[in-house]
Amino acid sequence: MPPSSPNPQDRGEAHIRDRGRDRAGDVVRDRGDACPGALRLHRADDGSLARLRLPTGVLTPYQVEVLAEAADRLGDGHLSLTSRGNIELRGLGEGCGLGLAEVLREAGLLPASERHERVRNMVVSPLAGSDVTAWAYRLDELLCGEDWTTELSGRFLFAVDDGRGDVAALGADVTLLAEAAGTALVRVAGAAYRVSAADAPRAALAAAEAFLAAARAAGTGAWRVRELPAGQDVDVTAHLQRAAVAAEPVTGAELPAGAPPAPGATGDGTVCVLARLGRVTSGQFRALLPAREVRVTPWRGFVLPGFAGPAAARERLRALDAAGFITRADSPWAGVSACTGRPGCAKSLSDVRADARPREGALPVHWSGCARRCGHPQGAWTDMVATGEGAYQVTVVTVQGSTK
């Protein structure tokens, strides 16, 4: 199963290459964020790349069909999943950007204000009930309804957690955590505040505005909370008051460390699967249907809720296993991940996806085409870094940034 960890990093997104540090060792940005989106395409060696943000993680059956068709007609016939629950289309041809935008717009996959398209970064507990899912919808509405939110970078991340701690462990900049008593915790910059459940989305928005104010005061161009200089104040209290959100500071609040949903069928008629190496063909994507809805997870998988009991869920799981999905927690492929590699990435020294395979041992294994290690897991993992065509250096990463 994909691991979670208390040591979060950017995973599955484009590598950051303009990070500098001043004399105090603080991160300094000298340009705006160039993170790709569905409208701002990134040019790769295998064609252009579009990254579609799914703020609630939910796709309708119609949207699944639209994206599969777009992959076939405009791209390379595949869809890639990122560790933020985003979907990427690769191998897009020259001049297809306008056509892709129109397809996505008609399917309801773009916000009304396209200036907000890249700031809708959100991970949501994929097994969440309707109340918590409604927070995500409302937070997305709030994000897209304010002009100032376009100042957030394409990497600033919200997490909406239903209380089990699965997405709370992913290192978001602002985390909403549901509590049993009809309240929520909003966490940012190491501080926590208890608010009413009804105020949770507005509290998250206020916390993001507090970050922007702190980033302006710091003057370092920070894209994310952890990039703020040490000691930089993030005045969440003042911004919550300005938003008329009643909040109680909570000291010593620990986030729960829940596990991702395991591949398989649950007793309530929910099916969970993973995509091998985080990539599916358009045919596999269509094989997720029929389903009431498809939830894309930040562990490069899918959750299909709403089947009529355990027997129906198990039957659906067998069909998805035949389609090539990972359907068992004990599958050796469940802990294997890889970067794009050749031919999509010019920096890769090998065809990583062709080389990747499971390895013996309890640790997940990540295959990288170069030392940037794009898309690596968190915590401890076996690190396979290409040194040439088909050749890899093998190390074990035990603590963030340390190997042996």
Side-chain angles (χ1 to χ4, degrees):
M1 177 185 299
S4 60
S5 167
N7 300 311
Q9 278 206 346
D10 291 312
R11 299 179 298 128
E13 310 294 340
H15 187 74
I16 301 172
R17 286 176 291 181
D18 71 330
R19 178 178 290 182
R21 294 186 181 271
D22 62 13
R23 290 183 179 179
D26 295 323
V27 173
V28 177
R29 301 287 188 185
D30 60 6
R31 66 166 175 83
D33 170 36
C35 196
L39 302 177
R40 178 193 285 183
L41 305 187
H42 169 72
R43 182 66 184 171
D45 268 24
D46 58 349
S48 293
L49 175 153
R51 180 176 296 154
L52 176 62
R53 288 162 173 81
L54 304 174
T56 64
V58 177
L59 291 171
T60 67
Y62 173 68
Q63 290 169 336
V64 170
E65 293 282 6
V66 165
L67 288 175
E69 173 64 20
D72 284 337
R73 185 166 57 86
L74 302 174
D76 63 3
H78 292 76
L79 302 98
S80 298
L81 310 181
T82 79
S83 62
R84 293 182 166 201
N86 298 331
I87 287 181
E88 291 181 347
L89 299 175
R90 301 188 66 99
L92 299 169
E94 293 286 347
C96 78
L98 290 177
L100 176 62
E102 185 61 27
V103 166
L104 297 178
R105 190 179 299 111
E106 290 181 356
L109 290 167
L110 293 179
S113 170
E114 294 180 355
R115 295 187 306 119
H116 292 85
E117 185 268 323
R118 292 189 315 121
V119 303
R120 307 167 80 202
N121 289 307
M122 201 180 309
V123 287
V124 183
S125 295
L127 299 178
S130 59
D131 290 348
V132 171
T133 303
W135 288 357
Y137 280 104
R138 180 56 180 154
L139 178 54
D140 184 44
E141 290 176 353
L142 294 171
L143 276 171
C144 295
E146 298 285 348
D147 288 337
W148 63 262
T149 56
T150 60
E151 298 177 41
L152 293 170
S153 82
R155 304 180 193 274
F156 191 89
L157 182 64
F158 295 88
V160 180
D161 194 293
D162 66 357
R164 74 188 68 222
D166 51 2
V167 297
L170 297 182
D173 297 280
V174 176
T175 298
L176 284 181
L177 182 73
E179 295 185 307
T183 57
L185 286 183
V186 54
R187 287 181 59 101
V188 60
Y193 305 82
R194 180 167 286 116
V195 301
S196 72
D199 284 338
R202 290 196 300 124
L205 190 73
E209 190 172 18
F211 158 75
L212 280 180
R216 293 190 203 101
T220 56
W223 292 348
R224 303 200 60 188
V225 168
R226 67 169 174 263
E227 294 179 0
L228 291 171
Q232 176 66 48
D233 181 46
V234 182
D235 194 354
V236 179
T237 298
H239 284 80
L240 288 170
Q241 291 173 346
R242 188 177 307 163
V245 174
E248 171 195 354
V250 179
T251 59
E254 295 292 332
L255 289 175
T266 67
D268 66 353
T270 298
V271 170
C272 306
V273 298
L274 297 173
R276 181 165 159 171
L277 299 180
R279 190 160 165 83
V280 295
T281 66
S282 59
Q284 287 176 309
F285 200 53
R286 291 186 179 95
L288 294 168
L289 303 178
R292 186 182 70 191
E293 64 186 26
V294 173
R295 300 185 181 187
V296 184
T297 81
W299 301 281
R300 299 183 175 92
F302 302 98
V303 168
L304 312 179
F307 290 97
R314 288 193 297 269
E315 181 180 352
R316 195 75 185 85
L317 192 68
R318 286 192 290 271
L320 292 173
D321 184 76
F325 287 96
I326 299 169
T327 60
R328 304 187 335 270
D330 62 354
S331 167
W333 285 99
V336 183
S337 57
C339 71
T340 296
R342 288 182 179 173
C345 178
K347 294 185 178 296
S348 181
L349 300 177
S350 189
D351 185 348
V352 173
R353 291 181 178 275
D355 298 337
R357 62 188 183 276
R359 289 176 58 88
E360 291 185 3
L363 290 179
V365 55
H366 183 71
W367 297 73
S368 303
C370 72
R372 297 186 304 166
R373 297 172 172 83
C374 293
H376 70 74
Q378 301 187 58
W381 77 90
T382 300
D383 195 39
M384 309 288 296
V385 178
T387 56
E389 190 66 52
Y392 289 82
Q393 177 181 346
V394 184
T395 56
V396 174
V397 176
T398 56
V399 181
Q400 197 68 55
S402 116
T403 61
K404 67 177 183 180

